[in-house]
Amino acid sequence: MLIEKPDVPLSEHEYILRAKQEWEHTFDAVTDLIFIIDLDHTIIRVNRAMAERCGLTAQELAGRKCFDVIHGATCYPAYCSHERLVESGEPQTIEFETEQLHGTFEAFVSPIRNDAGHIIASVHVARDVTEKRRSEQLVAAQQKQLEEFNKDLESRIAEAVAELRNKDSIIMQQCRLSAMGDLVNSIAHHWRQPLNNIGLIVQSLQLAYKSNDLTVDELDAEIADTMEILQQISDTIDDFRNFFHHEEEPCSFSVNEAVARSINFVMPSLNSKGIKVVTAGQADINVVGYPNEYAQALINIIVNARDALVESHVGKPVISISISGGDGRSSVTVLDNGGGIDEEDLPRVFDPYFTTKKSGKATGISLYMSKMIIEKNMNGCLAVRNVDGGAEFRIEV
Ligand SMILES: Nc1ncnc2c1ncn2[C@@H]1O[C@H](COP(=O)(O)OP(=O)(O)O)[C@@H](O)[C@H]1O
Ligand SMILES: [Mg+2]
Protein backbone atom coordinates (compact mmCIF):
# COMPACT_ATOMS: atom_id res chain seq x y z
CA MET A 1 0.00 0.00 0.00
CA LEU A 2 1.54 3.21 -1.17
CA ILE A 3 -0.78 5.56 0.66
CA GLU A 4 0.55 6.50 4.04
CA LYS A 5 -1.60 5.40 6.90
CA PRO A 6 -3.48 8.56 7.98
CA ASP A 7 -3.31 9.70 11.59
CA VAL A 8 -6.98 10.46 11.57
CA PRO A 9 -9.58 8.41 9.68
CA LEU A 10 -10.25 9.75 6.14
CA SER A 11 -13.57 10.17 4.43
CA GLU A 12 -14.01 8.07 1.31
CA HIS A 13 -13.70 11.19 -0.82
CA GLU A 14 -10.45 12.23 0.84
CA TYR A 15 -9.10 8.74 0.54
CA ILE A 16 -9.79 8.67 -3.22
CA LEU A 17 -8.22 12.09 -3.60
CA ARG A 18 -5.09 10.90 -1.80
CA ALA A 19 -4.91 7.79 -3.96
CA LYS A 20 -5.23 9.94 -7.10
CA GLN A 21 -2.39 12.20 -5.94
CA GLU A 22 -0.33 9.22 -5.07
CA TRP A 23 -0.89 7.68 -8.48
CA GLU A 24 -0.06 11.00 -10.20
CA HIS A 25 3.17 11.25 -8.23
CA THR A 26 4.14 7.77 -9.26
CA PHE A 27 3.22 8.46 -12.87
CA ASP A 28 5.37 11.59 -12.84
CA ALA A 29 8.24 9.93 -11.01
CA VAL A 30 8.86 7.49 -13.85
CA THR A 31 11.73 8.71 -16.01
CA ASP A 32 10.46 6.87 -19.08
CA LEU A 33 8.11 8.94 -21.24
CA ILE A 34 4.55 7.79 -20.65
CA PHE A 35 1.50 8.91 -22.58
CA ILE A 36 -1.98 7.58 -23.03
CA ILE A 37 -3.92 8.08 -26.25
CA ASP A 38 -7.47 7.29 -27.26
CA LEU A 39 -8.47 5.26 -30.28
CA ASP A 40 -8.19 8.37 -32.39
CA HIS A 41 -4.49 8.99 -31.52
CA THR A 42 -5.50 11.90 -29.30
CA ILE A 43 -3.30 12.35 -26.23
CA ILE A 44 -5.30 11.96 -23.05
CA ARG A 45 -2.55 12.15 -20.56
CA VAL A 46 1.26 12.40 -20.32
CA ASN A 47 3.69 12.09 -17.43
CA ARG A 48 6.16 14.79 -16.46
CA ALA A 49 9.08 13.22 -18.32
CA MET A 50 7.07 13.23 -21.55
CA ALA A 51 5.94 16.86 -21.05
CA GLU A 52 9.47 17.99 -20.32
CA ARG A 53 10.82 16.17 -23.33
CA CYS A 54 8.24 17.91 -25.53
CA GLY A 55 8.95 21.30 -23.94
CA LEU A 56 5.24 21.71 -23.11
CA THR A 57 3.01 21.24 -20.12
CA ALA A 58 0.89 18.16 -19.64
CA GLN A 59 -2.19 20.33 -20.15
CA GLU A 60 -0.84 21.70 -23.43
CA LEU A 61 -0.18 18.22 -24.71
CA ALA A 62 -3.57 16.80 -23.81
CA GLY A 63 -5.88 16.88 -26.81
CA ARG A 64 -3.11 16.94 -29.42
CA LYS A 65 -2.53 14.11 -31.85
CA CYS A 66 0.36 11.87 -30.82
CA PHE A 67 1.73 11.64 -34.40
CA ASP A 68 1.87 15.43 -34.49
CA VAL A 69 3.70 15.64 -31.15
CA ILE A 70 6.00 12.69 -31.62
CA HIS A 71 6.65 12.56 -35.35
CA GLY A 72 5.72 16.07 -36.46
CA ALA A 73 3.35 14.38 -38.94
CA THR A 74 -0.21 15.09 -40.03
CA CYS A 75 -1.25 11.43 -39.81
CA TYR A 76 0.05 8.32 -38.08
CA PRO A 77 2.99 6.52 -39.71
CA ALA A 78 2.76 3.14 -41.40
CA TYR A 79 4.53 1.47 -38.49
CA CYS A 80 2.21 3.02 -35.87
CA SER A 81 2.26 0.74 -32.83
CA HIS A 82 -1.11 1.98 -31.63
CA GLU A 83 -2.73 0.95 -34.92
CA ARG A 84 -1.08 -2.45 -34.68
CA LEU A 85 -2.22 -2.84 -31.13
CA VAL A 86 -5.82 -2.01 -32.02
CA GLU A 87 -5.67 -4.39 -34.96
CA SER A 88 -4.09 -7.33 -33.14
CA GLY A 89 -5.34 -6.73 -29.60
CA GLU A 90 -1.80 -7.57 -28.50
CA PRO A 91 0.77 -5.37 -26.71
CA GLN A 92 3.41 -4.01 -29.04
CA THR A 93 7.08 -3.17 -28.84
CA ILE A 94 8.55 -0.70 -31.25
CA GLU A 95 11.71 1.28 -31.76
CA PHE A 96 11.65 4.60 -33.52
CA GLU A 97 13.77 7.65 -34.06
CA THR A 98 12.27 11.11 -33.88
CA GLU A 99 13.64 14.58 -34.33
CA GLN A 100 10.77 16.05 -32.30
CA LEU A 101 11.88 14.24 -29.14
CA HIS A 102 15.54 14.29 -30.13
CA GLY A 103 16.45 10.65 -30.02
CA THR A 104 15.80 6.99 -30.45
CA PHE A 105 13.11 5.35 -28.34
CA GLU A 106 12.09 1.87 -27.46
CA ALA A 107 8.37 1.90 -26.71
CA PHE A 108 6.11 -0.65 -25.06
CA VAL A 109 2.49 -0.18 -25.96
CA SER A 110 -0.26 -1.82 -23.92
CA PRO A 111 -4.02 -1.72 -24.40
CA ILE A 112 -6.48 -0.12 -21.98
CA ARG A 113 -9.82 -1.91 -22.13
CA ASN A 114 -13.31 -1.03 -20.90
CA ASP A 115 -15.37 -3.33 -18.75
CA ALA A 116 -16.60 -5.09 -21.86
CA GLY A 117 -12.99 -5.86 -22.81
CA HIS A 118 -12.89 -3.51 -25.77
CA ILE A 119 -9.77 -1.45 -26.34
CA ILE A 120 -10.53 2.17 -25.68
CA ALA A 121 -7.04 3.58 -25.40
CA SER A 122 -3.38 2.62 -25.31
CA VAL A 123 -0.60 3.44 -22.90
CA HIS A 124 2.88 4.06 -24.32
CA VAL A 125 5.99 3.77 -22.24
CA ALA A 126 8.94 5.06 -24.26
CA ARG A 127 12.51 4.75 -23.09
CA ASP A 128 15.25 6.88 -24.54
CA VAL A 129 17.80 4.43 -25.95
CA THR A 130 19.76 7.00 -27.97
CA GLU A 131 22.92 6.64 -25.93
CA LYS A 132 22.58 2.89 -25.67
CA ARG A 133 22.18 2.53 -29.44
CA ARG A 134 24.97 4.99 -30.08
CA SER A 135 27.38 3.02 -27.90
CA GLU A 136 26.15 -0.23 -29.44
CA GLN A 137 26.84 1.22 -32.86
CA LEU A 138 30.22 2.40 -31.67
CA VAL A 139 31.04 -1.04 -30.28
CA ALA A 140 29.82 -2.65 -33.53
CA ALA A 141 31.92 -0.24 -35.58
CA GLN A 142 34.93 -0.91 -33.39
CA GLN A 143 34.27 -4.63 -33.61
CA LYS A 144 34.10 -4.35 -37.37
CA GLN A 145 37.29 -2.32 -37.40
CA LEU A 146 38.93 -4.92 -35.21
CA GLU A 147 37.77 -7.73 -37.47
CA GLU A 148 39.08 -5.90 -40.48
CA PHE A 149 42.32 -5.23 -38.69
CA ASN A 150 42.51 -8.92 -37.78
CA LYS A 151 41.78 -9.93 -41.32
CA ASP A 152 44.38 -7.48 -42.50
CA LEU A 153 46.80 -8.78 -39.92
CA GLU A 154 46.15 -12.37 -40.97
CA SER A 155 46.76 -11.54 -44.59
CA ARG A 156 49.85 -9.51 -43.69
CA ILE A 157 51.18 -12.42 -41.64
CA ALA A 158 50.42 -14.81 -44.49
CA GLU A 159 52.25 -12.48 -46.86
CA ALA A 160 55.23 -12.21 -44.54
CA VAL A 161 55.33 -15.98 -44.09
CA ALA A 162 55.13 -16.48 -47.86
CA GLU A 163 57.90 -13.94 -48.32
CA LEU A 164 60.05 -15.73 -45.75
CA ARG A 165 59.36 -19.07 -47.42
CA ASN A 166 60.28 -17.55 -50.72
CA LYS A 167 63.48 -16.15 -49.23
CA ASP A 168 64.19 -19.53 -47.66
CA SER A 169 63.71 -21.30 -50.94
CA ILE A 170 65.94 -18.75 -52.67
CA ILE A 171 68.60 -19.35 -50.04
CA MET A 172 68.23 -23.10 -50.41
CA GLN A 173 68.52 -22.71 -54.15
CA GLN A 174 71.69 -20.69 -53.65
CA CYS A 175 72.98 -23.36 -51.26
CA ARG A 176 72.43 -25.97 -53.95
CA LEU A 177 74.17 -23.79 -56.53
CA SER A 178 77.06 -23.17 -54.18
CA ALA A 179 77.35 -26.91 -53.46
CA MET A 180 77.23 -27.54 -57.19
CA GLY A 181 80.03 -25.02 -57.72
CA ASP A 182 82.12 -26.81 -55.10
CA LEU A 183 81.35 -30.09 -56.81
CA VAL A 184 82.50 -28.84 -60.21
CA ASN A 185 85.67 -27.41 -58.64
CA SER A 186 86.36 -30.62 -56.86
CA ILE A 187 85.82 -32.71 -59.99
CA ALA A 188 88.20 -30.42 -61.86
CA HIS A 189 90.80 -30.99 -59.14
CA HIS A 190 90.18 -34.73 -59.08
CA TRP A 191 90.46 -35.09 -62.83
CA ARG A 192 93.44 -32.86 -63.46
CA GLN A 193 96.00 -35.51 -62.44
CA PRO A 194 94.52 -38.55 -64.21
CA LEU A 195 93.83 -36.50 -67.34
CA ASN A 196 97.45 -35.35 -67.31
CA ASN A 197 98.53 -38.94 -66.94
CA ILE A 198 96.43 -40.06 -69.89
CA GLY A 199 97.90 -37.22 -71.93
CA LEU A 200 101.41 -38.37 -71.05
CA ILE A 201 100.62 -41.98 -72.00
CA VAL A 202 99.18 -40.94 -75.35
CA GLN A 203 102.21 -38.76 -76.08
CA SER A 204 104.63 -41.53 -75.12
CA LEU A 205 102.72 -43.96 -77.35
CA GLN A 206 103.03 -41.55 -80.26
CA LEU A 207 106.77 -41.10 -79.67
CA ALA A 208 107.38 -44.84 -79.35
CA TYR A 209 105.40 -45.49 -82.49
CA LYS A 210 107.27 -42.85 -84.49
CA SER A 211 110.63 -44.24 -83.41
CA ASN A 212 109.44 -47.77 -84.17
CA ASP A 213 110.01 -48.71 -80.50
CA LEU A 214 106.44 -49.76 -79.77
CA THR A 215 105.98 -53.42 -79.04
CA VAL A 216 102.61 -55.07 -78.68
CA ASP A 217 103.35 -55.79 -75.01
CA GLU A 218 104.15 -52.13 -74.36
CA LEU A 219 101.00 -51.07 -76.19
CA ASP A 220 98.93 -53.51 -74.11
CA ALA A 221 100.56 -52.23 -70.92
CA GLU A 222 99.92 -48.57 -71.76
CA ILE A 223 96.35 -49.34 -72.75
CA ALA A 224 95.84 -51.23 -69.48
CA ASP A 225 97.21 -48.19 -67.55
CA THR A 226 94.94 -45.86 -69.47
CA MET A 227 91.91 -48.07 -68.79
CA GLU A 228 92.76 -48.07 -65.11
CA ILE A 229 92.97 -44.28 -65.04
CA LEU A 230 89.68 -44.02 -66.95
CA GLN A 231 88.15 -46.36 -64.39
CA GLN A 232 89.34 -44.00 -61.62
CA ILE A 233 87.76 -41.07 -63.39
CA SER A 234 84.56 -42.98 -63.83
CA ASP A 235 84.63 -43.93 -60.14
CA THR A 236 84.94 -40.32 -59.08
CA ILE A 237 81.88 -39.48 -61.15
CA ASP A 238 79.92 -42.20 -59.36
CA ASP A 239 81.22 -40.98 -56.00
CA PHE A 240 80.12 -37.45 -56.68
CA ARG A 241 76.81 -38.55 -58.07
CA ASN A 242 76.11 -40.56 -54.92
CA PHE A 243 77.19 -37.60 -52.90
CA PHE A 244 74.53 -35.41 -54.36
CA HIS A 245 71.85 -38.03 -54.26
CA HIS A 246 69.01 -36.56 -52.24
CA GLU A 247 68.21 -38.58 -49.14
CA GLU A 248 64.52 -38.95 -48.35
CA GLU A 249 64.77 -41.00 -45.17
CA PRO A 250 67.27 -40.76 -42.31
CA CYS A 251 69.50 -43.80 -41.92
CA SER A 252 72.22 -45.04 -39.65
CA PHE A 253 75.65 -44.11 -40.99
CA SER A 254 79.29 -44.08 -39.98
CA VAL A 255 80.54 -40.64 -38.98
CA ASN A 256 84.13 -41.77 -39.65
CA GLU A 257 83.18 -42.68 -43.22
CA ALA A 258 81.36 -39.40 -43.75
CA VAL A 259 84.40 -37.49 -42.49
CA ALA A 260 86.71 -39.52 -44.75
CA ARG A 261 84.48 -38.91 -47.76
CA SER A 262 84.35 -35.17 -47.05
CA ILE A 263 88.11 -34.97 -46.75
CA ASN A 264 88.48 -36.98 -49.94
CA PHE A 265 86.14 -34.58 -51.68
CA VAL A 266 88.28 -31.53 -50.92
CA MET A 267 91.65 -33.28 -50.73
CA PRO A 268 92.94 -32.27 -54.18
CA SER A 269 92.32 -28.59 -53.50
CA LEU A 270 93.94 -28.90 -50.04
CA ASN A 271 96.94 -30.67 -51.55
CA SER A 272 97.38 -27.98 -54.15
CA LYS A 273 97.55 -25.37 -51.35
CA GLY A 274 99.95 -27.44 -49.22
CA ILE A 275 97.38 -27.89 -46.44
CA LYS A 276 97.77 -30.94 -44.20
CA VAL A 277 94.80 -32.75 -42.73
CA VAL A 278 95.18 -34.61 -39.48
CA THR A 279 92.36 -36.88 -38.36
CA ALA A 280 92.21 -38.33 -34.85
CA GLY A 281 89.74 -39.82 -32.44
CA GLN A 282 87.49 -42.80 -32.06
CA ALA A 283 86.60 -45.28 -34.77
CA ASP A 284 83.20 -46.77 -35.54
CA ILE A 285 81.01 -43.87 -34.47
CA ASN A 286 77.52 -44.37 -35.88
CA VAL A 287 74.59 -41.98 -35.82
CA VAL A 288 71.20 -41.70 -37.49
CA GLY A 289 70.63 -38.96 -40.05
CA TYR A 290 71.43 -37.95 -43.58
CA PRO A 291 75.04 -38.94 -44.40
CA ASN A 292 75.33 -36.94 -47.63
CA GLU A 293 73.94 -33.77 -46.11
CA TYR A 294 76.16 -34.31 -43.08
CA ALA A 295 79.20 -34.63 -45.33
CA GLN A 296 78.08 -31.51 -47.21
CA ALA A 297 78.00 -29.55 -43.93
CA LEU A 298 81.47 -30.83 -43.11
CA ILE A 299 82.82 -29.98 -46.57
CA ASN A 300 81.56 -26.41 -46.18
CA ILE A 301 83.47 -26.12 -42.91
CA ILE A 302 86.66 -27.66 -44.31
CA VAL A 303 86.49 -25.40 -47.38
CA ASN A 304 86.22 -22.37 -45.07
CA ALA A 305 89.22 -23.59 -43.08
CA ARG A 306 91.11 -23.94 -46.36
CA ASP A 307 90.17 -20.38 -47.37
CA ALA A 308 91.25 -19.02 -43.97
CA LEU A 309 94.58 -20.88 -44.21
CA VAL A 310 95.23 -19.60 -47.73
CA GLU A 311 94.35 -16.07 -46.66
CA SER A 312 96.53 -16.13 -43.52
CA HIS A 313 99.66 -17.44 -45.32
CA VAL A 314 100.50 -19.39 -42.17
CA GLY A 315 103.76 -21.35 -42.29
CA LYS A 316 102.39 -24.86 -41.69
CA PRO A 317 98.72 -24.84 -42.56
CA VAL A 318 96.91 -27.69 -40.81
CA ILE A 319 93.31 -28.76 -40.45
CA SER A 320 92.82 -31.04 -37.45
CA ILE A 321 89.69 -33.14 -37.39
CA SER A 322 88.75 -35.04 -34.28
CA ILE A 323 85.94 -37.57 -33.94
CA SER A 324 84.38 -38.74 -30.69
CA GLY A 325 81.08 -40.12 -29.50
CA GLY A 326 79.19 -43.28 -28.71
CA ASP A 327 75.64 -44.49 -28.05
CA GLY A 328 74.35 -42.99 -31.25
CA ARG A 329 75.85 -39.57 -30.53
CA SER A 330 78.85 -37.98 -32.17
CA SER A 331 81.02 -34.91 -31.90
CA VAL A 332 83.34 -33.84 -34.70
CA THR A 333 85.60 -30.81 -34.38
CA VAL A 334 87.32 -29.10 -37.29
CA LEU A 335 90.18 -26.88 -36.16
CA ASP A 336 92.50 -24.82 -38.34
CA ASN A 337 95.47 -22.59 -37.60
CA GLY A 338 94.37 -19.81 -39.92
CA GLY A 339 94.08 -17.09 -37.27
CA GLY A 340 90.43 -17.58 -36.26
CA ILE A 341 87.40 -15.35 -36.64
CA ASP A 342 87.12 -11.73 -35.44
CA GLU A 343 85.26 -11.81 -32.12
CA GLU A 344 82.65 -9.37 -33.41
CA ASP A 345 81.98 -11.60 -36.44
CA LEU A 346 81.59 -14.77 -34.37
CA PRO A 347 77.84 -14.38 -33.72
CA ARG A 348 77.16 -13.66 -37.40
CA VAL A 349 79.07 -16.34 -39.28
CA PHE A 350 75.96 -18.57 -39.52
CA ASP A 351 73.76 -15.76 -40.86
CA PRO A 352 72.79 -16.13 -44.50
CA TYR A 353 74.91 -13.92 -46.78
CA PHE A 354 77.43 -13.09 -44.07
CA THR A 355 80.88 -13.12 -45.61
CA THR A 356 84.15 -11.33 -45.02
CA LYS A 357 85.63 -12.58 -48.26
CA LYS A 358 86.42 -10.11 -51.00
CA SER A 359 86.24 -12.66 -53.79
CA GLY A 360 83.12 -12.44 -55.94
CA LYS A 361 82.71 -16.19 -55.50
CA ALA A 362 81.97 -15.94 -51.77
CA THR A 363 78.24 -16.24 -51.09
CA GLY A 364 78.18 -16.26 -47.31
CA ILE A 365 75.62 -19.04 -47.25
CA SER A 366 77.61 -22.23 -46.76
CA LEU A 367 77.72 -21.95 -42.97
CA TYR A 368 74.02 -21.07 -42.89
CA MET A 369 73.43 -24.18 -44.99
CA SER A 370 75.58 -26.28 -42.63
CA LYS A 371 73.66 -24.95 -39.64
CA MET A 372 70.34 -25.85 -41.29
CA ILE A 373 71.52 -29.35 -42.12
CA ILE A 374 72.90 -30.09 -38.67
CA GLU A 375 70.35 -28.33 -36.49
CA LYS A 376 67.11 -28.39 -38.48
CA ASN A 377 67.42 -31.59 -40.46
CA MET A 378 69.38 -33.66 -37.96
CA ASN A 379 68.44 -32.06 -34.61
CA GLY A 380 72.09 -31.61 -33.81
CA CYS A 381 74.20 -28.62 -32.91
CA LEU A 382 76.79 -26.67 -34.85
CA ALA A 383 78.92 -24.18 -32.94
CA VAL A 384 82.10 -22.21 -33.43
CA ARG A 385 84.76 -20.69 -31.21
CA ASN A 386 88.30 -19.40 -31.54
CA VAL A 387 90.98 -21.78 -30.25
CA ASP A 388 94.78 -21.59 -30.35
CA GLY A 389 95.19 -19.22 -33.27
CA GLY A 390 92.43 -20.72 -35.31
CA ALA A 391 88.72 -21.38 -35.60
CA GLU A 392 87.15 -24.54 -34.25
CA PHE A 393 83.80 -25.76 -35.52
CA ARG A 394 82.03 -28.44 -33.53
CA ILE A 395 79.36 -30.62 -35.09
CA GLU A 396 77.28 -32.61 -32.65
CA VAL A 397 74.72 -35.04 -33.94
N1 LIG B 1 87.74 -21.40 -40.41
C1 LIG B 1 87.46 -20.08 -40.49
N2 LIG B 1 88.37 -19.15 -40.16
C2 LIG B 1 88.09 -17.84 -40.23
N3 LIG B 1 86.91 -17.34 -40.61
C3 LIG B 1 85.94 -18.21 -40.96
C4 LIG B 1 86.17 -19.62 -40.92
N4 LIG B 1 85.02 -20.22 -41.30
C5 LIG B 1 84.15 -19.24 -41.58
N5 LIG B 1 84.68 -18.04 -41.39
C6 LIG B 1 84.01 -16.74 -41.55
O1 LIG B 1 82.64 -16.99 -41.74
C7 LIG B 1 82.19 -16.31 -42.91
C8 LIG B 1 81.00 -17.03 -43.49
O2 LIG B 1 81.33 -18.29 -44.00
P1 LIG B 1 80.45 -18.94 -45.12
O3 LIG B 1 79.04 -18.95 -44.66
O4 LIG B 1 81.04 -20.24 -45.48
O5 LIG B 1 80.50 -17.92 -46.31
P2 LIG B 1 81.70 -17.62 -47.32
O6 LIG B 1 82.68 -18.76 -47.20
O7 LIG B 1 81.05 -17.55 -48.65
O8 LIG B 1 82.25 -16.30 -46.88
C9 LIG B 1 83.39 -16.26 -43.78
O9 LIG B 1 83.32 -15.21 -44.73
C10 LIG B 1 84.50 -16.00 -42.76
O10 LIG B 1 84.56 -14.65 -42.40
MG1 LIG C 1 82.23 -20.77 -47.15
Side-chain angles (χ1 to χ4, degrees):
M1 188 65 169
L2 282 166
I3 302 167
E4 276 169 36
K5 207 164 185 278
D7 298 334
V8 285
L10 293 174
S11 71
E12 195 178 337
H13 176 74
E14 281 172 328
Y15 187 79
I16 290 170
L17 204 66
R18 281 260 182 116
K20 180 176 178 284
Q21 279 170 355
E22 185 82 41
W23 186 84
E24 278 169 358
H25 272 130
T26 311
F27 191 57
D28 282 338
V30 179
T31 52
D32 291 339
L33 317 187
I34 306 178
F35 54 97
I36 300 166
I37 59 173
D38 69 11
L39 285 182
D40 229 9
H41 303 264
T42 305
I43 295 173
I44 302 168
R45 178 165 213 135
V46 303
N47 72 344
R48 183 177 295 149
M50 175 68 180
E52 279 171 3
R53 182 57 77 103
C54 295
L56 297 168
T57 62
Q59 287 74 22
E60 284 168 331
L61 282 168
R64 287 183 59 180
K65 294 290 183 194
C66 73
F67 45 78
D68 167 29
V69 171
I70 293 171
H71 305 293
T74 48
C75 71
Y76 58 81
Y79 55 84
C80 176
S81 52
H82 172 75
E83 281 299 309
R84 283 197 205 160
L85 170 114
V86 172
E87 203 175 294
S88 66
E90 296 293 330
Q92 302 287 313
T93 307
I94 187 177
E95 188 163 319
F96 60 91
E97 218 182 310
T98 160
E99 272 177 35
Q100 271 64 29
L101 306 187
H102 328 289
T104 305
F105 293 84
E106 189 180 30
F108 302 95
V109 186
S110 313
I112 298 175
R113 298 176 189 275
N114 61 12
D115 290 344
H118 298 132
I119 296 175
I120 51 164
S122 64
V123 53
H124 299 236
V125 180
R127 175 163 293 180
D128 188 343
V129 290
T130 316
E131 271 315 307
K132 195 174 161 205
R133 294 293 175 259
R134 202 171 283 160
S135 46
E136 280 169 359
Q137 274 167 8
L138 203 70
V139 168
Q142 279 169 346
Q143 178 92 19
K144 202 170 159 220
Q145 240 178 4
L146 205 65
E147 275 165 18
E148 267 161 24
F149 181 73
N150 267 346
K151 242 190 262 164
D152 199 35
L153 201 66
E154 271 171 30
S155 73
R156 268 193 283 169
I157 288 173
E159 263 172 39
V161 168
E163 200 177 311
L164 272 182
R165 279 224 185 95
N166 191 23
K167 260 192 201 144
D168 257 7
S169 78
I170 291 173
I171 293 176
M172 282 337 266
Q173 187 64 23
Q174 286 170 332
C175 285
R176 265 180 234 123
L177 279 179
S178 143
M180 201 77 88
D182 286 346
L183 170 78
V184 172
N185 263 335
S186 191
I187 290 177
H189 275 291
H190 273 270
W191 282 6
R192 190 158 294 143
Q193 196 57 42
L195 285 176
N196 268 341
N197 291 347
I198 290 174
L200 289 175
I201 290 172
V202 172
Q203 276 173 344
S204 76
L205 276 177
Q206 192 185 32
L207 275 178
Y209 178 74
K210 278 186 180 163
S211 54
N212 277 332
D213 272 351
L214 189 62
T215 65
V216 172
D217 284 349
E218 273 170 348
L219 181 66
D220 284 347
E222 297 288 24
I223 287 177
D225 280 355
T226 309
M227 290 312 289
E228 200 176 307
I229 297 169
L230 287 175
Q231 187 57 48
Q232 274 175 23
I233 291 180
S234 163
D235 287 350
T236 45
I237 296 180
D238 287 343
D239 281 355
F240 286 124
R241 213 183 13 213
N242 286 339
F243 216 121
F244 281 85
H245 172 73
H246 181 65
E247 295 143 318
E248 300 285 347
E249 294 292 327
C251 60
S252 172
F253 70 93
S254 155
V255 172
N256 306 73
E257 259 177 53
V259 170
R261 275 204 304 151
S262 308
I263 296 173
N264 183 43
F265 191 92
V266 281
M267 202 45 137
S269 87
L270 297 178
N271 280 341
S272 70
K273 307 282 193 295
I275 297 168
K276 232 178 106 184
V277 181
V278 181
T279 321
Q282 290 167 252
D284 300 327
I285 303 293
N286 289 294
V287 295
V288 173
Y290 303 94
N292 288 349
E293 289 192 14
Y294 180 87
Q296 179 65 63
L298 205 54
I299 287 169
N300 293 344
I301 291 165
I302 298 172
V303 166
N304 279 342
R306 178 201 68 195
D307 292 348
L309 290 168
V310 170
E311 181 88 349
S312 70
H313 301 292
V314 67
K316 283 184 182 159
V318 183
I319 298 174
S320 312
I321 300 179
S322 156
I323 307 168
S324 62
D327 285 339
R329 307 292 307 167
S330 70
S331 171
V332 172
T333 55
V334 179
L335 170 69
D336 63 66
N337 57 344
I341 300 167
D342 278 354
E343 285 298 323
E344 60 180 26
D345 291 341
L346 266 181
R348 295 153 67 201
V349 292
F350 296 111
D351 290 354
Y353 308 121
F354 175 79
T355 180
T356 56
K357 294 172 189 167
K358 309 281 175 311
S359 135
K361 273 187 273 171
T363 55
I365 52 172
S366 56
L367 281 184
Y368 169 77
M369 174 183 175
S370 301
K371 188 105 174 152
M372 285 292 188
I373 290 172
I374 301 301
E375 298 196 347
K376 260 201 157 173
N377 299 4
M378 294 179 66
N379 282 327
C381 178
L382 172 59
V384 62
R385 60 179 182 156
N386 283 320
V387 179
D388 297 339
E392 183 195 74
F393 285 83
R394 179 182 298 274
I395 306 174
E396 285 174 342
V397 167

